Amino acid sequence: MAANSDTSPSNSSTGISTIAIQGNSALKWLYLALAISGAVLPWLANVDFIRQYGSSFDIGMFVHLANANPAASSLSRDLAIGATAVVIWIVQESKRLQMRGLPWVLLSCVTLAFACGAPLFLYLRERRLEELARGQKPTPTGQELEIKN
């Protein structure tokens, strides 16, 4: 296969190819569906945990059970390290693309599940890439307005 030459129109400030972004609408909606699933499914397990181990969410017991055997420890450590790396990337990528919604992504990672926050970020990122492809500038948030005044 021959390599494609870089003659496609692109956004010079971010290096984003317009052609690469077109047709990602289905991907964007898939990310949103995963974010919703990532909020609901882990919390169904959390509700089961609460029912089985008490009327509140005992974080100490939760961590203990997450490390109850080598398989659980492996999954817990894998998630902690992977999620930390991805959250760092999410913050950097949000700044690079001047994305809106980063506080919601981080809040959902902490309060709902990383399985919700990561796909939510990907949904918002796809939406932002579409805006950039159309040449739209980000709408200022409240914080940006405070800084400018």
Side-chain angles (χ1 to χ4, degrees), residues 51-74:
R51 283 187 189 140
Q52 189 171 358
Y53 291 96
S55 62
S56 65
F57 193 88
D58 182 348
I59 191 72
M61 178 61 78
F62 189 83
V63 171
H64 172 73
L65 292 173
N67 291 289
N69 61 57
S73 293
S74 174

Side-chain angles (χ1 to χ4, degrees), residues 1 3 16 24 27 35 42 55 58 106 114 119 124 129 134 144:
M1 259 190 200
I16 299 166
N24 282 343
L27 182 62
S55 62
D58 182 348
L106 298 176
F114 177 72
L124 294 172
L129 292 174
R134 290 189 301 267
E144 291 168 340

Side-chain angles (χ1 to χ4, degrees), residues 64-101:
H64 172 73
L65 292 173
N67 291 289
N69 61 57
S73 293
S74 174
L75 290 172
S76 296
R77 293 170 189 175
D78 186 52
L79 176 63
I81 293 167
T84 300
V86 171
V87 166
I88 292 167
W89 174 73
I90 284 171
V91 171
Q92 294 303 312
E93 187 72 353
S94 294
K95 289 178 182 178
R96 184 179 75 85
L97 295 177
Q98 298 176 336
M99 289 175 53
R100 298 176 306 273

Side-chain angles (χ1 to χ4, degrees), residues 5 18 33 59 83 109:
S5 64
T18 303
I59 191 72
C109 283

